[in-house]
Amino acid sequence: MGQVRDRAPDEWDCVVFMAVAETGTRQKAVRLLADRYDEHITVEGVRVILNKINKWLHRPALEEGVGPRGKVRLTPRGLRFLRFCERVRGIYLDERRYFAESHVPTLVCLPHHATIVKRLYVDTLEQEPIGEEKIHILELQQSDRGNESFFDQALWPLTTGAYHLAIGPAPPEEFRDELQSDVLYDARLEVFVPADFPGDAMSLDEFVRWPRMSHLPPKDSGARILLENAIATYGVDDPGEHRRVASETYEIGSVIECVSLLHERGLPTPLVLAPSDVALVYKPGMRFGGAGVEHSRWVPLHHQGAPFRLDVHVTTANPRPRYLRPLVALLQKICGDEPGLSGPL
């Protein structure tokens, strides 16, 4: 057990084993499975599953025909495996019960989408006279902002029906047939600079040549991939990552707090790069994160006047269920009404 090539027992194998342990014989287990689950399996099929379990355990899980009236007797390893089966079965039942009982769609997103989803939650709640929730919001971890992690944690569960909507990057090619995706807004890459910074934008050349190193998103994020590709594509004179990257982090709140304090005191500061949807909450006037940044501002990053943009999508199953279409339309309206998410350079 434990080798990758081993075929571990699945839920159905566990159910069959539990049936044999409960009834005491293969024949009775076959009848129980038919009566309780409406699943039909032969005695030979039960034998094959029991052999698979024994092979995976590297020892017998039960002894047949040795108990009272010829019933099976669980070995010590079999008793332990039975408890494992009960846990596996319980996990699947809990998941099925949640999605069977819940008629409310679940939207999965990242914490920096709070500005969008809090409006969506309140607006949908306001539409329902009796105050019933019309959507569940599930926030992933900050570390799931990386493209691969987001695909695993958000988009893959969409294909299984675990979630119903996702806000984030567009699905990769392998998801295109199963998922439908529409652009919500285009986030610009923005740079956190002192309030007295000259100009309303920063060029890529100026960003790279900044005398102090910068705080950037990690390399697996869309923003960082866009930045590094632009530096290479446009042939910018790059001093190298070791001379321009102070730190890589998804959680920029503490970094902004430190840099904004440097701005306030007029001290030399590093740059902070973030997409505009991440930067939004750290701007003056925002309800929570915007406090204490009055001596700072955000300017878009550009190359020869062209800003760097990242499309942010809302994704559902394909074809999109009819009941989700009003939610998608409301999300698009909320994003269209928020000037801080996108716009001209």
Side-chain angles (χ1 to χ4, degrees), residues 105-126 133-140 150 165-168 184-185 277 280 286 312-314 327 330-335 338 341:
T106 298
L107 181 148
V108 61
C109 63
L110 290 157
H112 65 275
H113 291 124
T115 303
I116 301 169
V117 297
K118 70 184 180 185
R119 277 278 310 279
L120 178 69
Y121 182 84
V122 172
D123 289 356
T124 56
L125 196 65
E126 192 175 38
E133 290 185 338
K134 301 186 80 171
I135 189 166
H136 290 311
I137 306 296
L138 176 64
E139 288 188 0
L140 300 177
F150 186 81
L165 305 98
I167 298 176
L184 273 179
Y185 59 90
D277 52 0
L280 183 62
M286 295 304 293
V312 178
H313 291 240
V314 56
L327 289 174
L330 184 54
L331 274 171
Q332 291 171 326
K333 181 180 184 305
I334 290 170
C335 294
E338 178 50 72
L341 293 177

Side-chain angles (χ1 to χ4, degrees), residues 191-192 202 206-217 224 227 240-249 255 259 269-273:
V191 187
F192 193 58
M202 175 178 284
E206 187 176 9
F207 177 84
V208 170
R209 293 196 309 267
W210 193 259
R212 295 178 64 85
M213 294 192 293
S214 304
H215 300 281
L216 305 177
R224 183 65 180 280
L227 173 70
E241 291 183 11
H242 66 287
R243 295 190 54 187
R244 60 178 170 84
V245 179
S247 69
E248 298 176 322
T249 178
V255 172
V259 173
T269 60
L271 298 174
V272 182
L273 180 77

